[in-house]
Each structure stands twice: as structure tokens, then as C-alpha cells.
Amino acid sequence: MRPIQMVDLKLQYQKIKPQIDEAVLQVVESCAFINGPQVQSFTTKLSEYTGSKHVIPCANGTDALQIAMMALGLQEGDEVITPSFTYIATTEVIALLKLTPVFVDVDAQTFCINPADIERAITPKTKAIVPVHLYGQAANMEEIMKIAEAHKLYVIEDNAQAIGCDYYFSNGTVKKTGSIGTIGTTSFFPSKNLGCFGDGGAMMTEDDSLADQLKMVANHGQSKRYYHDVVGCNSRLDTIQAAVLEVKLEHLDEYIAARRAVADYYDAAFAGHSEITTPFRSSSCKHVFHQYTLILNGVDRNKLHDYLAEHKIPSMIYYPVPAHRQKMFSHFNSSSTELPVTDWLTERVISLPMHTEMEQEQLQFITDKVLEFITLNHTV
Ligand SMILES: *Cc1c(COP(=O)(O)O)cnc(C)c1O
């Protein structure tokens, strides 16, 4: 059996090596390393794939969030509503821009921000909501957009973990996550569902003038060459990364299908075991399984992690400390915020290996070992 990894980037690369190598070599030979034609052609293809009118590439998913908040003109002291149960980048950029993060709880089933908690957190200072489509499952965008419209708030979708996820509105409309809010942001970090060979990111919007603003902020606040209208930053997607992404985008749907097949295998193996809650499958979206994350009931999660490690099975805790309990936010006194679902999940979640190249034999071994541990160590 091949060694089990959380993500097997080598094997994924091997399968498309000729196309990738040719695409990268073309960039190297052209020496158009910055803003070469592949940046535009990839961006156009991603815009077609996601159905977003404008896709603006940038250097990484954290920059994408930051540039989105800058382009919307958010000002010091403005409140931004965000889940605490997310990767730190989502919340960090809020504080970096001297905005105030307002942490709210998540839904225990979807792991995503809870609309009812958003409504309770709105004040006259609230300017934006940042839902995160965590682990590849969409937040409740229908409710979130209603709340945002009623209170005239911007919505920045952190779509770093859910690129390609279809969201179904109750009126039958289908949209990709990231194309629903005011701005969608994503990351092309190598282990993401659409990953490049380094760092990369993008923003999407339907709004023409906002697209201009995003481009301007990402490019030194420049409206035309050497004329700088606003304070911006330097955040670009390298041509080599765009070339890699252009090849990989062709495979994204097949990658998503492979991830969903792994999830189906896990779901079936764990069905009927009350100690294990498998990921919720919402009827309002098609989960793209960036992560396959279990909730353990009456079983020591950390001991399971160690047991699996003894058998050379990696597993991860995403995330061991929620944002509102991080030292970096202590001046907001955020740890006194009551987020019972977030705290509850933080103690109980564990993510199993999930990638596009998993083999049946590996899946069987992983599920056998998980079940073996559960049977031996049920404590409650
Ligand atoms: C990966 C990730 C980011 C940041 O992306 P980078 O490209 O690493 O900067 C932001 N938000 C979430 C939810 C992520 O998973």
C-alpha cells in the first residue's frame, strides 16, 4: 500500500505531468513572468467556470480578503461579522486593516456561520459579513444575502476551501459559491481544491466598478501607469502559477468527483456508529470536500489522532484554537464572547486524509483503524 498522506500532490502532478511541464516551460521560455498572457487566459477561464463576471487574480487568498475589504472602502472601527471557526486568515485581515472583527457562532451541522447569530450581532457600525464555506460546504447564502440586503451590508465570501461548489437557491437558481456575495475570494495554495505550485489567489465580483477598484488596489492603487489614486498593495498571480492553474482548472470537476467518492466511502464505512458524526450533506449545496471532518461523540479525539499516527495514518485538527481565543485578538476581549458551538466543535473535530488520488486499499485501512479505535475506546 502506498504511504497515506493528508494530500498527495506528487501523484496528482504525475497524472498531468506532460501538460503541466509544457505549460510551465512555455512561460520560462517566454520569460513573461509577470502578467504574461496565461494570467489573462486563466482568469477568463475561471470566470467562465464560476459564472462570475469579473475575476481579479492576486498573490494569495489572504491578500484576496484584504484587497476585498480595502476596495469596499471599509474604515477603521467598522465592524465585520465573521465566524471564529475558520482559518486565521479570514479574521486576521479584518484586524490588520484596523476594522473590528465581530465573532459569531457556526451551525453545528454545516460548520459554517449561523445566520441567526449574524442578525443578533448587527449594530449601526456593522459594514460587512464574511461567510466562510468551510471544508468545502457552502454557508447558508440564501439567508445571509437576505440579511445583508435588509441591513445594507457587504458580503465577502471566503471561498478558499470551496471553489467549484454549487449552491442551490430555493427558487431553483444555481450559483457557484464565491459568485453570490458582493465579492468572493479564493486561494490557490497547493493543497486547496484548485491549487497551484506556490501561492496564488483571486477575487470575483459581478460589479464593474468594484472590479476596477479591486484591480486598482491590487496594483499599487494605480488607475493608469504611474498615477496612484488610492493606497494599495502589490499582489499579483505569477504567470507560471496561472499556467499551472489553467491546466488544472480543466480537471477541477473530476477532482471534485474524486473527493466526493472518498467522502462516500468514509460515510458508508462510518454509518451506524453513534460515536461518529459524518459530514452533513446539505440539500442546498454540493459539498466539494476540501476536508472530510468528523465530529466525535464520547471518544477522545486526540487519542484517536495519536492512534492513527501510530499506524502511519495522518489526521488533522482544523482548527485547534478558534479565532476568538487567539492571543492576537486579546485586545478585542474576544475570548469573553460566548460561542458555544464553536468551542464544542473545536474539542471534537478531526479531519481524515482527503485528496484526489486516494486508493481503495488506503481507505479501507483508515476506516478499519478508526473503527477499531472507536470500539476499543468508547468512554461515555
Ligand atoms: C487557505 C485559506 C485562506 C488563505 O489562503 P492563502 O492563499 O494561504 O493566503 C483563507 N481562508 C481560508 C478559509 C483558507 O482555508
Side-chain angles (χ1 to χ4, degrees), residues 67-104:
I67 294 163
M69 290 175 203
M70 290 170 78
L72 289 169
L74 301 187
Q75 299 293 322
E76 183 166 348
D78 286 349
E79 291 179 0
V80 178
I81 294 177
T82 170
S84 169
F85 196 69
T86 178
Y87 180 56
I88 199 65
T90 317
T91 53
E92 180 186 36
V93 296
I94 299 171
L96 182 70
L97 295 173
K98 296 197 159 40
L99 312 172
T100 304
V102 176
F103 299 104
V104 305

Coordinates of all heavy atoms in Angstrom, one line a residue, residues 67-104:
I67 N -7.6 42.8 0.1 CA -7.9 43.7 -1.0 C -9.4 43.9 -1.1 O -9.9 45.0 -1.4 CB -7.3 43.1 -2.3 CG1 -5.8 43.1 -2.2 CG2 -7.7 44.0 -3.5 CD1 -5.1 42.2 -3.2
A68 N -10.2 42.9 -0.9 CA -11.7 43.0 -1.0 C -12.1 44.0 0.1 O -12.9 44.9 -0.3 CB -12.3 41.6 -0.7
M69 N -11.6 43.9 1.3 CA -12.0 44.9 2.3 C -11.5 46.3 2.0 O -12.2 47.3 2.3 CB -11.6 44.4 3.7 CG -12.3 43.2 4.1 SD -11.7 42.5 5.7 CE -12.3 40.8 5.5
M70 N -10.4 46.4 1.4 CA -9.8 47.7 1.1 C -10.7 48.3 -0.1 O -11.0 49.5 0.0 CB -8.4 47.6 0.6 CG -7.4 47.3 1.8 SD -5.7 46.9 1.2 CE -5.1 48.5 0.8
A71 N -11.0 47.5 -1.1 CA -11.7 48.0 -2.2 C -13.1 48.5 -1.9 O -13.7 49.3 -2.5 CB -11.8 47.0 -3.3
L72 N -13.7 47.9 -0.8 CA -15.0 48.3 -0.4 C -15.0 49.5 0.5 O -16.0 50.1 0.9 CB -15.7 47.1 0.4 CG -16.1 45.9 -0.4 CD1 -16.5 44.7 0.5 CD2 -17.3 46.2 -1.3
G73 N -13.8 50.0 0.7 CA -13.7 51.3 1.5 C -14.0 51.2 2.9 O -14.4 52.1 3.6
L74 N -13.8 50.0 3.5 CA -14.1 49.8 4.9 C -13.1 50.7 5.7 O -11.9 50.8 5.3 CB -14.0 48.3 5.3 CG -15.0 47.4 4.6 CD1 -14.9 46.0 5.2 CD2 -16.4 47.9 4.6
Q75 N -13.6 51.3 6.8 CA -12.8 52.3 7.5 C -12.6 51.8 8.9 O -13.4 51.0 9.5 CB -13.6 53.6 7.6 CG -13.8 54.3 6.3 CD -12.5 54.7 5.6 OE1 -11.6 55.2 6.2 NE2 -12.5 54.6 4.3
E76 N -11.5 52.3 9.5 CA -11.1 52.0 10.9 C -12.4 52.0 11.8 O -13.1 53.0 11.8 CB -10.1 53.0 11.4 CG -9.6 52.6 12.8 CD -8.3 53.4 13.2 OE1 -7.7 54.0 12.3 OE2 -8.0 53.3 14.4
G77 N -12.6 51.0 12.6 CA -13.7 50.9 13.5 C -14.9 50.3 13.0 O -15.8 49.9 13.7
D78 N -15.0 50.1 11.6 CA -16.2 49.4 11.1 C -16.2 48.0 11.6 O -15.1 47.3 11.7 CB -16.1 49.4 9.5 CG -16.4 50.7 8.9 OD1 -16.9 51.6 9.6 OD2 -16.1 50.8 7.7
E79 N -17.4 47.5 11.8 CA -17.5 46.1 12.3 C -17.7 45.1 11.2 O -18.5 45.4 10.2 CB -18.6 46.0 13.3 CG -18.3 46.7 14.6 CD -19.4 46.7 15.7 OE1 -20.4 46.1 15.4 OE2 -19.2 47.3 16.7
V80 N -17.0 44.0 11.2 CA -17.1 43.0 10.2 C -17.5 41.7 10.9 O -16.7 41.2 11.8 CB -15.8 42.8 9.4 CG1 -15.9 41.7 8.4 CG2 -15.4 44.1 8.7
I81 N -18.6 41.1 10.5 CA -19.1 39.9 11.2 C -18.4 38.7 10.5 O -18.5 38.5 9.3 CB -20.6 39.8 11.1 CG1 -21.2 41.0 12.0 CG2 -21.1 38.4 11.6 CD1 -22.7 41.0 11.9
T82 N -17.8 37.8 11.3 CA -17.1 36.6 10.8 C -17.2 35.4 11.7 O -17.4 35.6 12.9 CB -15.6 37.0 10.7 OG1 -14.8 35.9 10.4 CG2 -15.0 37.6 12.0
P83 N -17.1 34.2 11.2 CA -17.1 33.1 12.1 C -15.7 33.1 12.8 O -14.8 33.6 12.3 CB -17.2 31.9 11.2 CG -16.8 32.4 9.9 CD -17.1 33.8 9.8
S84 N -15.7 32.5 14.0 CA -14.4 32.3 14.7 C -13.8 30.9 14.3 O -12.6 30.7 14.3 CB -14.7 32.3 16.2 OG -13.6 31.9 16.9
F85 N -14.7 30.0 13.9 CA -14.4 28.6 13.5 C -13.9 28.7 12.0 O -14.7 28.3 11.1 CB -15.6 27.7 13.7 CG -15.2 26.3 13.7 CD1 -14.5 25.7 14.7 CD2 -15.6 25.4 12.7 CE1 -14.1 24.3 14.7 CE2 -15.3 24.1 12.7 CZ -14.6 23.5 13.7
T86 N -12.7 29.1 11.8 CA -12.2 29.2 10.4 C -10.7 29.3 10.5 O -10.1 29.5 11.6 CB -12.7 30.5 9.7 OG1 -12.2 30.6 8.4 CG2 -12.4 31.8 10.5
Y87 N -10.0 29.3 9.3 CA -8.6 29.5 9.3 C -8.3 31.0 9.6 O -9.1 31.9 9.3 CB -8.1 29.2 7.8 CG -6.6 29.4 7.7 CD1 -5.7 28.7 8.5 CD2 -6.1 30.2 6.7 CE1 -4.3 28.9 8.4 CE2 -4.7 30.4 6.6 CZ -3.9 29.8 7.4 OH -2.5 30.0 7.3
I88 N -7.2 31.2 10.2 CA -6.9 32.5 10.8 C -6.9 33.7 9.8 O -7.2 34.8 10.1 CB -5.5 32.5 11.6 CG1 -5.5 33.7 12.6 CG2 -4.4 32.5 10.6 CD1 -6.4 33.6 13.7
A89 N -6.6 33.4 8.5 CA -6.5 34.4 7.5 C -7.8 35.2 7.4 O -7.8 36.5 7.2 CB -6.2 33.8 6.1
T90 N -9.0 34.6 7.5 CA -10.3 35.2 7.4 C -10.4 36.4 8.4 O -10.8 37.5 8.0 CB -11.4 34.3 7.7 OG1 -11.1 33.0 7.1 CG2 -12.7 34.8 7.3
T91 N -10.0 36.2 9.6 CA -10.2 37.1 10.7 C -9.0 38.1 10.8 O -9.2 39.2 11.2 CB -10.4 36.4 12.0 OG1 -9.4 35.5 12.2 CG2 -11.7 35.6 11.9
E92 N -7.8 37.6 10.5 CA -6.6 38.4 10.7 C -6.6 39.6 9.9 O -6.3 40.7 10.3 CB -5.4 37.5 10.3 CG -4.1 38.2 10.4 CD -3.0 37.3 9.8 OE1 -3.2 36.6 8.8 OE2 -1.9 37.3 10.4
V93 N -7.1 39.5 8.6 CA -7.1 40.7 7.7 C -8.0 41.8 8.2 O -7.8 43.0 8.0 CB -7.4 40.4 6.3 CG1 -6.3 39.5 5.7 CG2 -8.7 39.8 6.1
I94 N -9.1 41.4 8.9 CA -10.0 42.4 9.5 C -9.3 43.3 10.5 O -9.3 44.5 10.4 CB -11.2 41.6 10.2 CG1 -11.9 40.8 9.1 CG2 -12.1 42.7 10.8 CD1 -13.0 39.9 9.8
A95 N -8.5 42.6 11.4 CA -7.8 43.4 12.4 C -6.6 44.1 11.8 O -6.3 45.3 12.1 CB -7.3 42.4 13.5
L96 N -6.0 43.5 10.8 CA -4.8 44.2 10.1 C -5.3 45.5 9.5 O -4.5 46.5 9.6 CB -4.3 43.3 9.0 CG -3.1 43.8 8.2 CD1 -1.9 43.8 9.0 CD2 -2.9 43.0 6.9
L97 N -6.5 45.6 9.0 CA -7.0 46.9 8.4 C -7.6 47.8 9.5 O -8.3 48.7 9.1 CB -8.0 46.5 7.3 CG -7.4 45.8 6.1 CD1 -8.5 45.4 5.1 CD2 -6.4 46.7 5.4
K98 N -7.4 47.4 10.8 CA -8.0 48.2 11.9 C -9.5 48.2 11.9 O -10.2 49.1 12.4 CB -7.4 49.6 11.9 CG -5.9 49.6 12.2 CD -5.4 51.0 12.6 CE -4.1 51.0 13.3 NZ -3.1 50.1 12.8
L99 N -10.1 47.2 11.3 CA -11.5 47.0 11.4 C -11.8 46.2 12.6 O -10.8 45.6 13.2 CB -12.1 46.3 10.1 CG -11.6 46.9 8.8 CD1 -12.0 46.0 7.6 CD2 -12.1 48.3 8.6
T100 N -13.0 46.1 13.0 CA -13.3 45.3 14.2 C -13.9 44.0 13.9 O -15.0 43.9 13.4 CB -14.2 46.1 15.2 OG1 -13.6 47.4 15.4 CG2 -14.4 45.4 16.5
P101 N -13.3 42.8 14.2 CA -13.9 41.5 13.9 C -15.0 41.3 15.0 O -14.7 41.5 16.2 CB -12.7 40.5 14.1 CG -11.7 41.2 14.9 CD -11.9 42.7 14.8
V102 N -16.1 40.9 14.5 CA -17.2 40.5 15.5 C -17.5 39.0 15.2 O -18.0 38.6 14.2 CB -18.5 41.4 15.2 CG1 -19.6 40.9 16.1 CG2 -18.2 42.8 15.4
F103 N -17.0 38.2 16.2 CA -17.0 36.8 16.0 C -18.4 36.2 16.4 O -19.0 36.6 17.4 CB -16.0 36.1 16.9 CG -14.6 36.6 16.6 CD1 -13.9 37.5 17.5 CD2 -13.9 36.1 15.5 CE1 -12.6 37.9 17.2 CE2 -12.7 36.5 15.2 CZ -12.0 37.4 16.1
V104 N -19.0 35.4 15.5 CA -20.2 34.8 15.8 C -20.1 33.3 15.6 O -19.1 32.8 15.1 CB -21.4 35.4 14.9 CG1 -21.5 36.9 15.0 CG2 -21.2 34.9 13.4

